[in-house]
Amino acid sequence: MDHFKELSGRSYDFKTTTISLSNQDISISYFNTLIDEKILQQQVIHAIQNRALDSELKKLEDLLTWISVDDIEITDKFQDIQSKVLKGYAAIHFNNNHIDKYVLVNMSTKKGMRETNDTENEFSVVGPKVGFVEDISTNIRLLRAQINIPNLIVKDFTIGTVSKTKVAIIYIEGVTNKQYIETVEQRLCDMDFDVVFDSSQLEQIISDNSKSPFPIFLSTERRDRVVYSLISGQVAITCEGSPYFVTGPSSIFDSFISPEDYYLPWVLGSFFRIIRILGVLFSLFASSMYLVLTTYHYEVIPMDLLGPLIFSRQDVPFPPVIEVLFLEVTIEFLREAGARLPTKISQTLGIVGGVILGQAAVEAGLTSNILIIITALSALASFTTPLFKMSNTIRFLRFPIIILSSLWGGIGMFIGITFILVHLTQLKSLGAPYTVPLFPLRMNDWGDSFIRSSYKNLNKRPGYLRSSSILRYVINTDKLKKDFTNE
């Protein structure tokens, strides 16, 4: 029990309150993010103090009648004590008594479990939809409800010379590599900032390369995604006033992983993940490929397609590069307008605006039908990635590739691809390679990158995280017995 208190005491939300009575000192240990502090004050602390004025507390069993809470018990089993405290119970003990008995009082709270914390930007059809809110204590309570072990350590810092914002570092002791924990702590302590509004600011400040358009860390509002990152050996960072968690070190493949992949059969999860990766590649290069073919390398266009392409562009007075940029900028205008307007108006604007503008542009001879189809598909494909920040990165990278393709054709397009690949291979997240397991090549980690393998092959944590504990769970290799046997 002393080891449990010492381990839990590393988290700022573990508290021990001492009540001094006339003949006895009582200690109450609990996680303040898991309990209802009003119940603790009114029905436990005040009840004990008021009752002690009339009668003497001789033995721990007397508390069963002193405290008016329905779910209360006394036990000396350590496993029960640890499990109950991690579920929102308070453990009451005599300080000067060598008997290892504890009174467990249920004071758990359900705050933040479904009413106002739905995920808004990372929606999924299958699986839980519990998201985080702007209260850091509620967010930690949600994590502790899912990761029910004392090894979940929560360290708090105060950052911001003006805002004095509480920032929490969360990790699992004995799983997460200590080097990553120390790196995050050092970068946060070295910060000199005035006001911290959101965890996204922390992500940029502690990033290994803040000039990169790619998200170096994984930013999410979903509880299940943060839980999966923690059990894999990553570090999570959040701050007061932000509903988002930042986890790292992450790789580029984390941006294409959806929680639904793990709630569906592994074949379907792998298929949808491949669709996302192909969709992002199509969104990134579709418009520039059209520009290259129609400007420099039209000889490679099949004859059956060349006729319709010439017919669709015969009334367009602009070169293909102006045509492409016009439609791409129009799509960005519609996106930004839809994001800033109320939900009902934005849906109408997206549908009506897209149809009307597209039809009017073709009739006015400003663009071709084929390019409208390509641009529309490219815009849809950019949203296949589950993370909004990676979607923004794809939207941005399309424009320099289009410009390079307009200048040098296919060579310019491949120059842009080369720059992206070289930049990606140089990126690091908390010192870990960003493109792992593709580069450096880690064949053992391919089971959860391009595809999602079955759970029989996912019992080990990713090798690039260098976790202190490699195994997540032990696979039962015993063969299933047949229901019918031939006798």
Side-chain angles (χ1 to χ4, degrees):
M1 193 64 192
D2 292 335
H3 175 70
F4 170 70
K5 289 182 178 181
E6 189 273 333
L7 184 62
S8 301
R10 301 180 189 177
S11 300
Y12 82 92
D13 58 332
F14 182 79
K15 306 293 182 182
T16 298
T17 301
T18 302
I19 302 176
S20 297
L21 303 179
S22 59
N23 64 331
Q24 195 68 256
D25 287 340
I26 300 175
S27 66
I28 306 175
S29 301
Y30 55 92
F31 286 95
N32 66 353
T33 55
L34 296 177
I35 70 167
D36 189 334
E37 295 192 72
K38 184 181 294 186
I39 297 178
L40 174 65
Q41 291 293 333
Q42 295 179 355
Q43 301 187 24
V44 177
I45 297 179
H46 289 171
I48 293 175
Q49 291 175 339
N50 293 335
R51 188 67 180 269
L53 297 175
D54 302 329
S55 55
E56 184 177 349
L57 183 61
K58 297 180 180 180
K59 54 184 179 178
L60 200 61
E61 286 78 359
D62 294 340
L63 292 177
L64 300 179
T65 59
W66 286 25
I67 300 174
S68 58
V69 176
D70 293 335
D71 191 355
I72 183 172
E73 62 178 291
I74 185 169
T75 181
D76 58 352
K77 296 180 180 179
F78 168 71
Q79 294 296 336
D80 293 343
I81 299 171
Q82 173 179 294
S83 176
K84 291 295 181 65
V85 171
L86 290 168
K87 288 291 186 182
Y89 284 66
I92 306 176
H93 181 62
F94 282 163
N95 284 347
N96 54 354
N97 197 323
H98 298 291
I99 301 176
D100 291 332
K101 281 188 177 182
Y102 284 77
V103 173
L104 301 175
V105 185
N106 186 4
M107 293 182 290
S108 62
T109 177
K110 299 297 182 183
K111 182 181 176 182
M113 280 309 293
R114 281 297 289 125
E115 288 148 13
T116 59
N117 60 329
D118 292 344
T119 54
E120 296 182 1
N121 298 322
E122 297 179 64
F123 180 78
S124 65
V125 179
V126 184
K129 300 173 179 60
V130 178
F132 296 111
V133 294
E134 284 77 7
D135 182 58
I136 192 171
S137 298
T138 302
N139 294 337
I140 295 172
R141 180 185 304 116
L142 292 172
L143 284 181
R144 287 199 180 278
Q146 192 82 53
I147 305 178
N148 204 238
I149 55 176
N151 301 59
L152 182 66
I153 306 300
V154 183
K155 293 185 177 181
D156 65 326
F157 298 84
T158 300
I159 295 177
T161 56
V162 176
S163 62
K164 305 295 183 182
T165 304
K166 178 186 287 187
V167 177
I169 298 177
I170 308 167
Y171 60 92
I172 298 180
E173 182 80 16
V175 173
T176 308
N177 191 304
K178 292 184 179 180
Q179 180 181 347
Y180 299 141
I181 303 170
E182 294 172 355
T183 301
V184 173
E185 291 180 356
Q186 178 185 358
R187 293 182 182 180
L188 288 177
C189 292
D190 291 343
M191 282 181 56
D192 187 6
F193 209 66
D194 52 356
V195 179
V196 178
F197 292 100
D198 189 78
S199 58
S200 299
Q201 292 177 292
L202 301 176
E203 175 187 358
Q204 299 176 55
I205 295 174
I206 69 174
S207 174
D208 298 64
N209 186 352
S210 59
K211 299 179 181 179
S212 175
F214 289 92
I216 304 299
F217 296 96
L218 183 68
S219 181
T220 179
E221 63 175 344
R222 293 184 62 100
R223 179 177 69 166
D224 52 357
R225 190 185 280 274
V226 176
V227 169
Y228 187 80
S229 298
L230 289 173
I231 64 175
S232 297
Q234 296 181 352
V235 183
I237 310 164
T238 189
C239 68
E240 184 68 45
S242 174
Y244 282 85
F245 274 64
V246 176
T247 62
S250 62
S251 70
I252 190 173
F253 292 100
D254 292 336
S255 300
F256 303 103
I257 295 176
S258 171
E260 286 184 332
D261 296 347
Y262 302 96
Y263 305 141
L264 297 173
W266 71 272
V267 176
L268 297 179
S270 300
F271 172 74
F272 293 137
R273 187 177 296 182
I274 293 174
I275 289 294
R276 289 187 211 108
I277 296 175
L278 295 178
V280 167
L281 293 176
F282 177 84
S283 174
L284 188 58
F285 302 115
S287 298
S288 57
M289 182 66 71
Y290 171 85
L291 181 60
V292 167
L293 294 180
T294 56
T295 306
Y296 293 94
H297 307 288
Y298 49 83
E299 70 276 0
V300 302
I301 302 176
M303 292 299 297
D304 295 337
L305 183 59
L306 188 60
L309 185 60
I310 294 175
F311 178 76
S312 67
R313 292 207 72 254
Q314 62 183 358
D315 296 329
V316 179
F318 305 111
V321 59
I322 302 298
E323 184 185 7
V324 170
L325 289 176
F326 169 74
L327 277 182
E328 289 289 349
V329 172
T330 303
I331 290 293
E332 295 303 320
F333 285 160
L334 287 173
R335 279 177 170 172
E336 288 299 312
R340 304 295 177 262
L341 290 173
T343 305
K344 295 182 180 179
I345 301 177
S346 64
Q347 292 176 353
T348 306
L349 175 70
I351 298 173
V352 178
V355 173
I356 293 177
L357 288 177
Q359 185 67 27
V362 173
E363 292 182 357
L366 299 177
T367 183
S368 62
N369 290 322
I370 294 179
L371 183 57
I372 285 185
I373 296 174
I374 293 176
T375 307
L377 290 176
S378 178
L380 288 175
S382 66
F383 289 108
T384 56
T385 172
L387 297 181
F388 182 69
K389 289 189 176 181
M390 179 57 75
S391 175
N392 291 339
T393 301
I394 301 303
R395 290 165 56 186
F396 164 75
L397 289 177
R398 283 210 299 264
F399 288 93
I401 294 178
I402 289 173
I403 294 174
L404 289 173
S405 300
S406 66
L407 294 176
W408 297 300
I411 296 177
M413 180 178 173
F414 283 106
I415 289 175
I417 296 174
T418 303
F419 269 109
I420 292 175
L421 292 178
V422 171
H423 177 70
L424 284 174
T425 55
Q426 292 179 342
L427 289 180
K428 293 183 182 298
S429 178
L430 292 180
Y434 189 60
T435 53
V436 71
L438 194 61
F439 179 82
L441 187 63
R442 298 287 187 270
M443 296 298 296
N444 294 332
D445 295 335
W446 277 50
D448 198 14
S449 54
F450 290 102
I451 63 171
R452 194 226 100 184
S453 302
S454 65
Y455 283 114
K456 292 183 178 180
N457 300 322
L458 294 180
N459 65 319
K460 293 183 179 179
R461 295 183 172 88
Y464 74 93
L465 293 177
R466 297 179 293 165
S467 304
S468 302
S469 176
I470 301 298
L471 284 178
R472 286 178 50 200
Y473 51 87
V474 179
I475 299 175
N476 187 5
T477 57
D478 295 339
K479 294 183 178 180
L480 295 176
K481 295 181 180 180
K482 295 182 179 180
D483 293 334
F484 299 98
T485 57
N486 297 325
E487 295 181 356

